[in-house]
Amino acid sequence: MNSLNYSSKALDVLTEFHEKPYIVYVEGVDDIPFWNTIFKAFHIKNYILKPAGGSPELEKYCQSITTDNVDIFVARDTHFTEILKTKIIHPRIIWTYGHSIENSLYHPNNLAEVISIFSRSQSYDVSLAEKWLLQFTEEFRYLLIFELVNQKYNLGLEILGDACGKFVDPKKHHLTSKQTINERENELAQAIDKKKYKRCEKLFTMIASKKPIFFLIRGHFLTMAINSFIRHEGKNSSKKPPSISNESLYTNLVLILKNECISNSSRDDIQYLKNQLEVFT
């Protein structure tokens, strides 16, 4: 745990050491700006965010909370726990609304705003961003179900991977390669038991009826396509595609999310996060 195997007793005294009443562990340093934005937007004070050093380490902190009632908090990605019904419900374990933090950052409202910024235009129609995001992620519906089968039954297969590059059009990275996706679906259909697939399809369909599919896919997987879509749409407005690093994209989206929390907190994902933070008040 963070280079040290803290005992439950040691974890309990961390609040005194840091002189903060709330110690909140997150997966890694990249998660800190997101959670710091959420906490500040909803006026949470006297907390410190600490990187756990990875998902397995964060899981240990969750166990300290649920097993030993250690007085710390965890803020973490939901991943597929909601769909597979393995999500731990505890007031000191805070979950993302979607698969990961990026799913809230890549919300159509945020994309429309960042396109407006990079294209130097007054505004961008959010419905266009929503249409693209829904269509793009819908193409992965069946591979997502295979991903669930793989995780539920510990098959050890690589289904989607960490990035969408191999599944996009080689010339238009904001569009999928339907041929590549279909080929992978056919390969997996031959390798995976149909009954297992049907069980996971039912679980996926249940959750997908409650929230858009772009919340159910690994957020980081979408980064390349998100970046390409913003550059493509920026070119349509300014005739010159903006140059956007992933670091710059992340920074801008975090700042936009802060404004969304303040001005549009009725958004489902933002309201979900806000409700969980009531434990701090």
Side-chain angles (χ1 to χ4, degrees):
M1 289 184 178
N2 246 6
S3 301
L4 291 172
N5 189 14
Y6 290 130
S7 68
S8 296
K9 184 176 181 180
L11 286 171
D12 268 331
V13 300
L14 275 176
T15 54
E16 296 179 17
F17 176 79
H18 289 289
E19 298 182 342
K20 300 284 186 181
Y22 306 125
I23 306 297
V24 186
Y25 285 91
V26 300
E27 185 170 330
V29 292
D30 289 342
D31 299 85
I32 289 177
F34 173 87
W35 288 110
N36 196 37
T37 294
I38 297 298
F39 277 48
K40 284 186 174 180
F42 296 115
H43 312 294
I44 308 304
K45 299 178 180 179
N46 298 319
Y47 64 89
I48 181 170
L49 297 171
K50 296 176 68 67
S55 183
E57 298 304 315
L58 194 64
E59 191 63 43
K60 295 176 184 177
Y61 286 109
C62 288
Q63 291 174 5
S64 295
I65 293 172
T66 57
T67 303
D68 301 322
N69 197 32
V70 174
D71 191 20
I72 58 173
F73 293 77
V74 163
R76 62 180 301 182
D77 291 341
T78 293
H79 294 160
F80 293 127
T81 58
E82 182 180 21
I83 302 175
L84 296 177
K85 299 182 179 180
T86 58
K87 189 174 183 178
I88 301 169
I89 305 301
H90 191 284
R92 294 202 304 278
I93 300 178
I94 301 159
W95 299 88
T96 54
Y97 178 78
H99 183 285
S100 42
I101 62 172
E102 288 88 356
N103 297 82
S104 283
L105 292 174
Y106 298 159
H107 189 281
N109 288 14
N110 301 16
L111 298 186
E113 184 65 24
V114 82
I115 289 170
S116 176
I117 292 170
F118 281 109
S119 64
R120 306 294 191 269
S121 60
Q122 184 172 344
S123 63
Y124 179 85
D125 187 350
V126 67
S127 68
L128 297 178
E130 182 175 25
K131 180 180 179 181
W132 170 80
L133 188 57
L134 284 171
Q135 288 180 343
F136 186 88
T137 52
E138 181 62 35
E139 295 291 338
F140 294 97
R141 175 179 288 267
Y142 300 114
L143 288 180
L144 273 172
I145 297 170
F146 281 121
E147 188 89 76
L148 291 175
V149 178
N150 183 54
Q151 183 166 321
K152 181 175 176 61
Y153 297 101
N154 299 310
L155 301 182
L157 301 173
E158 181 175 312
I159 309 298
L160 289 173
D162 293 329
C164 64
K166 61 185 175 183
F167 295 109
V168 300
D169 186 301
K171 295 183 179 179
K172 299 178 179 179
H173 295 165
H174 66 291
L175 301 177
T176 60
S177 170
K178 294 183 180 181
Q179 179 180 344
T180 303
I181 291 174
N182 289 338
E183 287 174 355
R184 186 59 178 143
E185 288 173 355
N186 292 334
E187 291 172 0
L188 292 167
Q190 300 298 318
I192 290 179
D193 180 79
K194 289 182 175 58
K195 290 183 179 179
K196 292 179 179 178
Y197 179 89
K198 286 294 183 182
R199 293 189 196 108
C200 288
E201 182 180 35
K202 184 176 180 180
L203 292 173
F204 182 87
T205 302
M206 187 183 305
I207 300 298
S209 67
K210 300 176 182 178
K211 61 180 67 173
I213 194 170
F214 58 74
F215 276 116
L216 305 180
I217 192 168
R218 185 181 294 109
H220 192 66
F221 174 82
L222 298 174
T223 299
M224 176 185 178
I226 293 290
N227 196 315
S228 297
F229 175 70
I230 292 169
R231 286 188 285 110
H232 178 269
E233 295 302 287
K235 181 179 180 181
N236 286 346
S237 300
S238 66
K239 309 303 179 183
K240 182 180 179 181
S243 177
I244 312 168
S245 68
N246 287 342
E247 184 69 26
S248 175
L249 177 63
Y250 178 80
T251 300
N252 276 276
L253 289 174
V254 166
L255 293 174
I256 291 168
L257 180 64
K258 179 181 179 180
N259 292 332
E260 280 283 285
C261 289
I262 297 170
S263 63
N264 193 20
S265 59
S266 61
R267 230 175 72 178
D268 287 345
D269 57 326
I270 293 176
Q271 188 61 51
Y272 177 81
L273 290 166
K274 181 181 179 182
N275 289 343
Q276 290 181 96
L277 297 186
E278 290 179 358
V279 68
F280 292 100
T281 58

